[in-house]
């Protein structure tokens, strides 16, 4: 018997194509370069997915530079959110393991802790390191460590919860947003669980248990009764049947589709595997990425591209080396401030990413990056340089290259015709008299790249 999560095997009727390579790199990374697309097409799905799951070779210089930039003298506790976001974007742009960064972004939105309240960049950095460490690891361990993470303790007021005055915020979000979902617990469960989280504070930058402030009485949580502490309640939540279903459903939305609710049998199958594996997130992600379902119509272009994916995808595609700080500042206009999600529920994502204003800002950012005249980005991601590198000389070659690179040719014939018509018509346009013929030619090509990035298809993941 076959299921939707059986591995995809190329056939004559369903071959391995450039479109499938691009789809894989959009979901399991932040877009692909031309070389990555061609290598993926040559290698086939199994080897390409292996490479994404494993990540590239260890890069000591990358980690050393990232750690240096994250040192306290560079990012002290009072660092502004934009600088913190720039540090993470630098990692995302240059990481040898984009899937791990992608899953770190997923967990960042899952636990949705904001610098706006925590007001301590060192705590936020440590939380990033926590989610990165376990991004493709053991969810049990991640949730246990998250429960005494200093940024989380400030964010959801665990530090204010003491015997006789339990604060319910963390217990509520632990059940509603982090492990079970609404409908799988009661208000009494929350009140009882809150008592287990009393007596925890922060000492020397770490979560600390103070027995004298802890309610050591008996608590009944989700049908289990005992003298529970924080770690006990976390384990009780994870052991609920609803927990693997809740995480599997969120990962489905993140990796497969955020437009339609999946049938229960699809999620139950993933949840059973997740529980059986001991909540091994890497195995769950691997099952999804290798599946026939992932490469089918239920997933293809069924997500709206988030701001980070939009911006980083452009830079990676153009093999650019832009500064992360202006990129982080631009993302704020697109609706995504890393380290500052808008609420405990995180970013809504999906269609909520797009409106008249954010679409305009997307067009402006694409122009700023490709136009080379914006002082923030200069020529650090120049479409003309990429065309030259890959031997594209004619207008037709340029149009085919941009459509292949950014959209894997996944556009109707009339779109291709309009892009070619622009390149032809622009030859007769008037340009400043002091422009050289080379300036005019390069302007046309850069505009063609910009037009490609403003197509509706590029807004979809």
């Amino acid at each position: 018997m076959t299921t939707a999560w059986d591995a995809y095997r190329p056939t004559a009727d369903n071959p391995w194509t450039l479109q499938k390579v691009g789809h894989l790199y959009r979901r399991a990374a932040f877009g692909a370069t031309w070389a990555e697309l061609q290598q993926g097409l040559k290698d086939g799905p199994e080897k390409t997915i292996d490479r994404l799951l494993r990540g590239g070779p260890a890069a000591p210089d990358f980690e050393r530079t990232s750690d240096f930039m994250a040192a306290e003298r560079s990012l002290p506790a009072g660092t502004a959110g934009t600088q913190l976001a720039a540090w993470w974007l630098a990692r995302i742009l240059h990481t040898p393991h984009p899937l791990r960064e992608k899953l770190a972004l997923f967990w960042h939105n899952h636990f949705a802790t904001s610098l706006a309240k925590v007001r301590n960049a060192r705590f936020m950095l440590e939380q990033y390191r926590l989610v990165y460490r376990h991004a493709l690891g053991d969810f049990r361990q991640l949730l246990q460590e998250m429960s005494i993470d200093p940024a989380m303790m400030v964010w959801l007021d665990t530090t204010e919860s003491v015997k006789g005055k339990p604060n319910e915020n963390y217990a509520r979000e632990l059940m509603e947003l982090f492990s079970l979902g609404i409908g799988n617990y009661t208000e009494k469960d929350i009140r009882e669980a809150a008592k287990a989280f009393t007596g925890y504070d922060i000492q020397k930058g770490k979560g600390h248990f103070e027995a004298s402030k802890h309610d050591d009485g008996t608590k009944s949580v989700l049908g289990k009764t005992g003298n529970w502490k924080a770690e006990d309640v976390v384990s009780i939540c994870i052991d609920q049947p609803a927990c693997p279903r809740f995480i599997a459903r969120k990962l489905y939305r993140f990796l497969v589709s955020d437009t339609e609710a999946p049938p229960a049998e699809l999620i139950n199958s993933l949840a059973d595997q997740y529980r059986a594996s001991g909540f091994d997130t890497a195995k769950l992600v691997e099952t999804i990425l290798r599946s026939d379902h992932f490469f089918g119509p239920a997933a293809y272009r069924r997500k709206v591209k988030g701001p980070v994916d939009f911006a980083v995808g452009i830079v990676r595609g153009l093999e650019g080396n832009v500064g992360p700080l202006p990129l982080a500042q631009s993302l704020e206009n697109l609706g995504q401030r890393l380290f500052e999600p808008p609420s405990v529920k995180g970013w809504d994502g999906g269609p909520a990413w797009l409106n008249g204003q954010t679409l305009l800002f997307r067009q402006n950012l694409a122009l700023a990056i490709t136009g080379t005249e914006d002082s923030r980005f200069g020529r650090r991601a120049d479409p003309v340089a990429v065309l030259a590198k890959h031997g594209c000389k004619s207008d037709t070659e340029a149009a085919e290259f941009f459509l292949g690179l950014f959209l894997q040719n996944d556009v109707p014939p009339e779109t291709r015709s309009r892009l070619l018509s622009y390149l032809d018509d622009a030859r007769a346009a008037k340009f400043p008299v002091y422009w050289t013929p080379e300036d005019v030619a390069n302007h046309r090509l850069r505009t063609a790249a910009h037009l490609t990035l403003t197509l509706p298809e590029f807004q979809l993941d």
Side-chain angles (χ1 to χ4, degrees):
M1 184 179 74
T2 61
T3 74
W5 300 118
D6 287 345
Y8 161 70
R9 306 291 183 202
T11 65
D13 293 333
N14 188 15
W16 180 241
T17 61
L18 195 68
Q19 285 83 1
K20 287 187 172 70
V21 182
H23 171 69
L24 176 62
Y25 268 88
R26 287 193 299 275
R27 302 296 174 84
F30 297 89
T33 64
W34 184 252
E36 288 169 335
L37 288 170
Q38 300 307 312
Q39 189 66 50
L41 188 60
K42 176 185 175 185
D43 289 342
E46 187 170 350
K47 192 172 179 180
T48 305
I49 295 170
D50 282 347
R51 186 162 51 243
L52 284 163
L53 288 167
R54 188 175 59 247
D61 287 347
F62 167 73
E63 292 297 346
R64 195 161 39 245
T65 301
S66 182
D67 288 345
F68 176 79
M69 296 306 295
E72 190 161 5
R73 60 181 175 277
S74 301
L75 295 176
T79 297
T82 306
Q83 289 176 284
L84 205 55
W87 174 82
W88 191 0
L89 279 171
R91 288 189 60 87
I92 291 172
L93 283 165
H94 303 293
T95 178
H97 203 328
L99 176 59
R100 196 167 175 185
E101 291 291 351
K102 189 96 176 191
L103 266 293
L105 185 59
F106 167 78
W107 291 119
H108 174 51
N109 195 40
H110 181 76
F111 292 107
T113 305
S114 175
L115 178 66
K117 178 177 178 180
V118 175
R119 300 175 73 84
N120 186 317
R122 305 306 302 171
F123 288 176
M124 296 301 296
L125 270 175
E126 286 306 310
Q127 188 180 92
Y128 161 81
R129 287 173 171 142
L130 171 60
V131 297
Y132 182 77
R133 189 164 60 248
H134 296 296
L136 288 165
D138 181 348
F139 175 66
R140 283 180 179 274
Q141 191 63 31
L142 172 58
L143 192 56
Q144 287 286 2
E145 292 185 36
M146 186 59 72
S147 298
I148 52 171
D149 169 73
M152 179 61 75
M153 293 172 71
V154 175
W155 175 238
L156 291 179
D157 307 307
T158 313
T159 52
E160 298 177 10
S161 191
V162 296
K163 182 178 181 179
K165 294 180 64 177
N167 187 298
E168 296 178 2
N169 286 351
Y170 187 75
R172 181 177 302 280
E173 305 312 353
L174 169 67
M175 295 181 190
E176 179 180 336
L177 300 176
F178 303 160
S179 66
L180 301 178
I182 292 175
N184 294 298
Y185 57 88
T186 67
E187 286 298 312
K188 184 179 179 184
D189 288 324
I190 291 172
R191 289 195 296 273
E192 290 287 289
K195 297 176 186 175
F197 286 97
T198 54
Y200 292 83
D201 60 14
I202 302 168
Q203 290 190 11
K204 298 181 180 180
K206 304 289 184 184
H208 172 78
F209 178 66
E210 180 59 56
S212 64
K213 297 179 181 178
H214 176 69
D215 183 337
D216 59 358
T218 299
K219 302 104 179 168
S220 293
V221 180
L222 297 165
K224 304 285 185 181
T225 301
N227 181 12
W228 308 129
K229 292 182 181 176
E231 62 266 32
D232 301 314
V233 171
V234 172
S235 292
I236 290 170
C237 288
I238 292 176
D239 288 341
Q240 299 298 304
C243 182
R245 288 199 302 269
F246 182 70
I247 301 300
R249 186 173 290 108
K250 288 195 76 168
L251 265 173
Y252 182 97
R253 180 178 166 84
F254 184 74
L255 291 172
V256 180
S257 171
D258 55 17
T259 57
E260 295 179 11
E265 57 267 25
L266 275 181
I267 299 303
N268 290 341
S269 176
L270 289 177
D272 290 345
Q273 179 200 318
Y274 200 30
R275 177 184 290 279
S277 72
F279 290 87
D280 185 332
T281 302
K283 288 185 177 178
L284 181 61
V285 169
E286 181 175 2
T287 295
I288 294 173
L289 295 183
R290 291 195 189 282
S291 70
D292 202 48
H293 186 74
F294 178 76
F295 289 106
Y300 192 75
R301 303 256 184 230
R302 303 295 285 180
K303 281 174 60 69
V304 174
K305 196 171 285 181
V308 170
D309 294 88
F310 177 83
V312 174
I314 295 173
V315 176
R316 291 203 80 247
L318 294 175
E319 302 173 43
N321 187 26
V322 306
L325 185 58
L327 208 59
Q329 291 166 335
S330 300
L331 287 180
E332 295 178 8
N333 291 331
L334 272 56
Q336 191 167 30
R337 298 163 64 107
L338 292 176
F339 291 106
E340 297 183 71
S343 73
V344 291
K345 295 181 179 178
W347 293 282
D348 290 335
W353 287 128
L354 298 180
N355 57 47
Q357 189 175 44
T358 59
L359 273 173
L360 178 61
F361 283 127
R362 284 185 181 219
Q363 292 187 15
N364 290 344
L365 177 59
L367 177 62
I369 293 173
T370 58
T372 70
E373 295 178 5
D374 189 302
S375 61
R376 297 172 299 168
F377 301 106
R379 299 193 176 206
R380 292 185 170 191
D382 188 355
V384 171
V386 179
L387 288 174
K389 178 179 178 180
H390 295 284
C392 301
K393 297 178 180 177
S394 69
D395 286 358
T396 300
E397 288 174 335
E400 295 295 341
F401 180 81
F402 290 139
L403 292 174
L405 173 64
F406 291 117
L407 296 166
Q408 293 79 57
N409 303 311
D410 190 24
V411 291
E414 51 268 29
T415 299
R416 177 176 276 97
S417 295
R418 284 201 299 270
L419 193 60
L420 287 168
S421 293
Y422 161 75
L423 285 165
D424 191 43
D425 295 344
R427 290 179 182 278
K430 291 184 178 179
F431 293 97
V433 294
Y434 52 85
W435 281 22
T436 66
E438 184 181 19
D439 290 337
V440 173
N442 290 345
H443 178 79
R444 291 169 49 251
L445 296 172
R446 289 172 184 134
T447 301
H450 177 230
L451 291 173
T452 303
L453 299 173
T454 61
L455 290 171
E457 291 85 351
F458 189 70
Q459 314 313 312
L460 300 178
D461 216 355

